[in-house]
């Protein structure tokens, strides 16, 4: 939850890069946090629900055309993410990781669980992922994503 992330960053006086005090950088973080609900989160979530959950509940696979449409919709928002938020910067708010990058990684990585790798064929997005994981810590990211990266664990 964004509210929880903001609360924790304020309560524990985290390093400034997580939620910058400088207004322009904070605005970039806030812009992404507001944008992601109806874009990355919605499109990635729809792909997960339709590919994994609907077949469980209905006993029928989702038509290939529907899955293709959902994948295309996700690709549109990933393009927007790269063009609008990443541009040519290492992270969303500039040169340091922020809460926006952390949340973005968690949203973007989720379709992997249903066999769709959003980083495949996207060198800019893949490089950004490596930077985020490096800033957070490779070991911690591997532990956090263990279920997503190994769906057989579910």
């Amino acid at each position: 939850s964004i509210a929880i992330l903001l609360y924790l960053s304020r309560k524990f006086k985290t390093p400034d890069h997580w939620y910058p005090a400088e207004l322009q950088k904070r605005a970039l973080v806030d812009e992404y946090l507001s944008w992601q609900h109806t874009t990355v989160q919605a499109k990635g979530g729809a792909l997960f629900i339709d590919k994994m959950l609907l077949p469980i509940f209905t006993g029928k696979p989702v038509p290939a055309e529907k899955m293709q449409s959902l994948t295309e919709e996700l690709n549109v928002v990933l393009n927007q993410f790269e063009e609008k938020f990443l541009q040519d910067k290492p992270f969303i708010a500039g040169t340091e990781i922020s809460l926006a990058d952390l949340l973005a990684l968690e949203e973007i990585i989720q379709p992997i669980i249903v066999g769709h790798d959003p980083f495949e064929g996207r060198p800019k997005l893949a490089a950004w992922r490596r930077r985020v994981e490096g800033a957070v810590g490779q070991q911690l990211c591997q532990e956090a994503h263990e279920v997503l990266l190994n769906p057989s664990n579910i």
Side-chain angles (χ1 to χ4, degrees), residues 2 69 99:
I2 291 170
S69 174
L99 291 176

Side-chain angles (χ1 to χ4, degrees), residues 84-149:
K84 169 68 177 143
F85 292 98
L86 288 183
Q87 299 171 352
D88 292 322
K89 303 175 293 189
F91 299 101
I92 292 171
T95 59
E96 295 183 284
I97 191 171
S98 70
L99 291 176
D101 296 287
L102 188 61
L103 186 63
L105 178 62
E106 296 313 305
E107 295 294 348
I108 292 171
I109 204 168
Q110 288 183 17
I112 289 175
I113 199 167
V114 294
H116 177 75
D117 185 349
F119 303 98
E120 186 177 315
R122 294 181 173 277
K124 180 190 269 190
L125 195 63
W128 166 80
R129 175 188 178 183
R130 287 189 296 275
R131 286 190 297 274
V132 172
E133 289 176 340
V136 172
Q138 292 292 342
Q139 180 69 27
L140 181 59
C141 285
Q142 286 177 345
E143 290 174 19
H145 300 141
E146 185 175 342
V147 170
L148 289 174
L149 300 176

Side-chain angles (χ1 to χ4, degrees), residues 9-69:
S9 72
R10 292 171 180 141
K11 178 175 176 147
F12 295 105
K13 297 178 179 62
T14 59
D16 187 65
H17 64 86
W18 289 111
Y19 194 58
E22 196 270 301
L23 290 179
Q24 286 184 321
K25 287 182 180 179
R26 182 174 284 197
L28 293 171
V29 172
D30 287 341
E31 181 180 27
Y32 177 77
L33 296 178
S34 295
W35 177 82
Q36 63 86 33
H37 292 292
T38 59
T39 54
V40 177
Q41 185 182 59
K43 302 306 179 186
L47 191 67
F48 171 76
I49 290 168
D50 282 25
K51 187 158 187 179
M52 182 170 251
L53 297 182
L54 281 181
I56 292 171
F57 293 128
T58 65
K60 300 175 187 174
V62 175
E65 304 82 36
K66 174 71 172 175
M67 292 310 302
Q68 179 63 32
S69 174

